[in-house]
Amino acid sequence: MRLGVLDVGSNTVHLLVVDAHPGARPMPAHSHKADLRLAQLLDKEGEIGPDGVDGLVAVIQEALRAAEDKGVEDLLPFATSAVREAGNADDVLARVRSETGVELQVLSGVEEARLTFLAARRWYGWSAGRLLVLDIGGGSLEIAYGIDEEPDAAVSLPLGAGRLTAAWLPGDPPGPEDVRALRRHVRAEIARVVGEFSRFGAPDHVVATSKTFKQLARLAGTVRSGEGPYVQRELKRESLEAWVPRLSAMTYAERARLPGVSEGRAGQILAGALVAEGAMDLFKVECLEICPWALREGVILRHLDHLGPAGAGGGNGTAAPRGLRTGTRTVTAVPRAPMTNATTAGGAPASPDRTP
């Protein structure tokens, strides 16, 4: 079957299309992204403004057209911290449902951590032993630890790279006092939860997911994502600690010229580096490995786990009538309209977040 997962995140709205069936590894077939940056569209009351909601509806409509074009049978749509924490989340979800037919499932931070952990566990297998998984998003940091497919401990902290940049780093480049204040804040937040994990003992394998970690690893000298998902990519704390002061002194434009740092995330990479450095230090991690799978793959894997043999025909074992199915709803794609903020890239065996 061909599945689509629609991820409405703090930075991007990302449609990932995969070919999959229960018991098989999901194979990427298509990736469609739009840099909406919902987390930056919140007003002073913490609500997503009219322009942001208009943009979200338009981007989802474009994603539906892409899903239909690629033959998607079932669409798994979800939203993370930007929508979850918006003061008008219910109104935003209702408008999306009314104008697109998409019923966005809003994941809690702990659900994000658990699903990301599942993806990492499936990627590395049982031989990885006790896993510690770190994920830095635009709005939150997820941490999970365990030896099975369900983590023994999972937390979500409001330490996303986009959120912290907007709240703590106003300058270009930011002032040294602002950087130090953010560093103190990040470490204090992480330190509060370290004890929840340390009582389980040291992990056997530490891995990280997310675009932020991938770009930091690329800065530290790991190979490009174009080399494929099976090439081991590592991030050493020593290398990261050397990059933090360099990033602090750079302007947005200078960071955007660094290898592996996309222009859209150049403004956030310093905050992401401070979070990564703080997490590695406080959890006593000298080196971690970059996992190609993350939250989107976790959502797909959990869905496949719940399908029986009839699932090969779709969510309820039958073909979707006149449109693609999202959960229990059937969605007919809306008429085409030009989009200026959506970019489409053909699927490849590498991770869908393709870092240069």
Side-chain angles (χ1 to χ4, degrees):
M1 64 188 305
R2 179 155 281 197
L3 291 173
V5 59
L6 182 62
D7 176 2
V8 178
S10 298
N11 287 315
T12 62
V13 177
H14 188 170
L15 170 71
L16 173 65
V17 178
V18 301
D19 293 318
H21 63 269
R25 177 173 64 91
M27 295 293 294
H30 182 72
S31 180
H32 179 94
K33 299 180 187 179
D35 288 322
L36 189 58
R37 305 203 176 278
L38 276 178
Q40 298 179 18
L41 298 177
L42 299 178
D43 59 24
K44 294 180 180 179
E45 286 71 41
E47 297 185 350
I48 301 174
D51 291 344
V53 181
D54 289 344
L56 177 59
V57 168
V59 165
I60 290 177
Q61 288 173 335
E62 181 68 13
L64 289 177
R65 290 190 285 268
E68 185 181 72
D69 287 348
K70 297 304 177 182
V72 169
E73 298 175 61
D74 278 332
L75 186 69
L76 311 174
F78 67 90
T80 55
S81 63
V83 173
R84 179 173 68 235
E85 297 171 11
N88 60 337
D90 290 342
D91 293 337
V92 173
L93 295 171
R95 170 122 182 252
V96 168
R97 181 171 57 248
S98 172
E99 297 195 23
T100 71
V102 170
E103 194 97 43
L104 282 175
Q105 178 186 3
V106 180
L107 299 180
S108 70
V110 172
E111 286 173 323
E112 285 189 56
R114 292 172 62 192
L115 289 166
T116 303
F117 184 87
L118 172 64
R121 169 59 73 194
R122 293 283 179 90
W123 181 267
Y124 290 106
W126 300 115
S127 63
R130 293 169 295 184
L131 274 179
L132 175 63
V133 180
L134 307 172
D135 180 281
I136 302 172
S140 58
L141 162 70
E142 276 70 50
I143 309 169
Y145 173 101
I147 197 167
D148 297 316
E149 291 198 338
E150 283 291 330
D152 296 313
V155 299
S156 178
L157 301 174
L159 297 178
R163 176 201 296 267
L164 296 178
T165 300
W168 293 82
L169 300 176
D172 185 29
E177 287 300 322
D178 290 331
V179 174
R180 280 194 291 271
L182 176 55
R183 184 179 186 275
R184 288 193 298 268
H185 170 71
V186 164
R187 287 170 178 257
E189 289 289 313
I190 296 173
R192 291 192 182 103
V193 303
V194 169
E196 297 180 30
F197 296 86
S198 59
R199 64 191 178 92
F200 294 105
D204 300 306
H205 198 177
V206 182
V207 302
T209 70
S210 76
K211 192 80 167 182
T212 295
F213 269 114
K214 291 175 183 177
Q215 294 191 347
L216 291 172
R218 182 76 178 92
L219 278 180
T222 195
V223 297
R224 298 161 55 99
S225 63
E227 299 295 323
Y230 303 113
V231 177
Q232 183 170 315
R233 294 170 174 84
E234 294 181 339
L235 175 61
K236 295 182 179 180
R237 176 150 56 103
E238 180 182 13
S239 298
L240 180 59
E241 289 173 343
W243 267 102
V244 167
R246 296 174 63 184
L247 291 171
S248 299
M250 291 181 178
T251 64
Y252 171 93
E254 289 170 334
R255 290 186 220 135
R257 292 194 291 269
L258 294 171
V261 177
S262 63
E263 182 177 357
R265 293 178 185 260
Q268 303 179 12
I269 194 68
L270 171 58
L274 289 168
V275 174
E277 180 194 37
M280 293 181 74
D281 187 10
L282 291 168
F283 281 98
K284 301 179 181 178
V285 175
E286 296 299 327
C287 182
L288 56 76
E289 188 172 352
I290 306 300
C291 179
W293 280 2
L295 176 59
R296 286 182 288 273
E297 287 78 10
V299 170
I300 292 169
L301 291 166
R302 180 61 76 220
H303 177 74
L304 293 175
D305 287 347
H306 291 150
L307 288 180
N316 60 2
T318 60
R322 296 188 59 199
L324 63 92
R325 196 168 35 249
T326 71
T328 59
R329 298 172 61 86
T330 298
V331 178
T332 300
V334 293
R336 291 189 176 278
M339 292 287 290
T340 59
N341 63 340
T343 58
T344 304
S351 170
D353 284 333
R354 299 178 61 84
T355 302

